[in-house]
Amino acid sequence: QFQLVESGGGLVQPGGSLRLSCAASGFTLEYYAIGWLRQAPGKEREEVSCIASDGGAFYADSVKGRFTISRVNYENTVYLQMNSLKPEETAVYYCVAAALCSTLDEYDYRGQGTQVTVSS
């Protein structure tokens, strides 16, 4: 069974940090581009970050310098370290596996998502 499972979400104060995990089963993450997307109620889905199969990393302008994406191949897991979180970044975060970072909307697999709430 091919599956992506996110974890690490929760409630954090503004300026705080969280590390999200995206673990794969049934397939090997390093052969895919793995992207993190987020969607808040009433807002459009936003691509946050992506790590390509060659290890290249991409970030939305709004998170550059604060978020870091990484992949640990022997764990078959991709991480998203999020620092200096802002209230407007409250959303469901989910990961997808696609052929390229430029084609995340044509993903092959998607996780169920993890809620991130930034609030005091």
Side-chain angles (χ1 to χ4, degrees):
Q1 183 177 2
F2 305 117
Q3 195 174 14
L4 285 171
V5 178
E6 303 94 337
S7 62
L11 173 64
V12 64
Q13 292 187 342
S17 299
L18 284 174
R19 188 178 77 156
L20 304 183
S21 302
C22 172
S25 59
F27 68 100
T28 304
L29 274 182
E30 66 179 292
Y31 299 143
Y32 290 82
I34 305 299
W36 283 98
L37 295 80
R38 65 189 178 192
Q39 186 155 26
K43 295 186 178 180
E44 291 191 0
R45 184 180 66 189
E46 179 183 13
E47 295 180 3
V48 176
S49 181
C50 183
I51 184 165
S53 57
D54 65 0
F58 303 90
Y59 300 93
D61 287 343
S62 60
V63 307
K64 282 180 181 176
R66 299 187 296 119
F67 289 15
T68 304
I69 193 168
S70 61
R71 186 179 66 216
V72 179
N73 291 339
Y74 74 87
E75 294 180 350
N76 211 23
T77 299
V78 166
Y79 297 96
L80 183 68
Q81 177 68 42
M82 306 188 296
N83 298 329
S84 302
L85 282 161
K86 304 173 182 179
E88 57 265 35
E89 294 180 309
T90 294
V92 175
Y93 286 68
Y94 56 97
C95 60
V96 300
L100 301 170
C101 285
S102 58
T103 60
L104 292 181
D105 57 342
E106 301 172 16
Y107 58 82
D108 294 312
Y109 310 111
R110 171 190 157 169
Q112 291 300 306
T114 185
Q115 176 71 45
V116 172
T117 302
V118 186
S119 175
S120 54

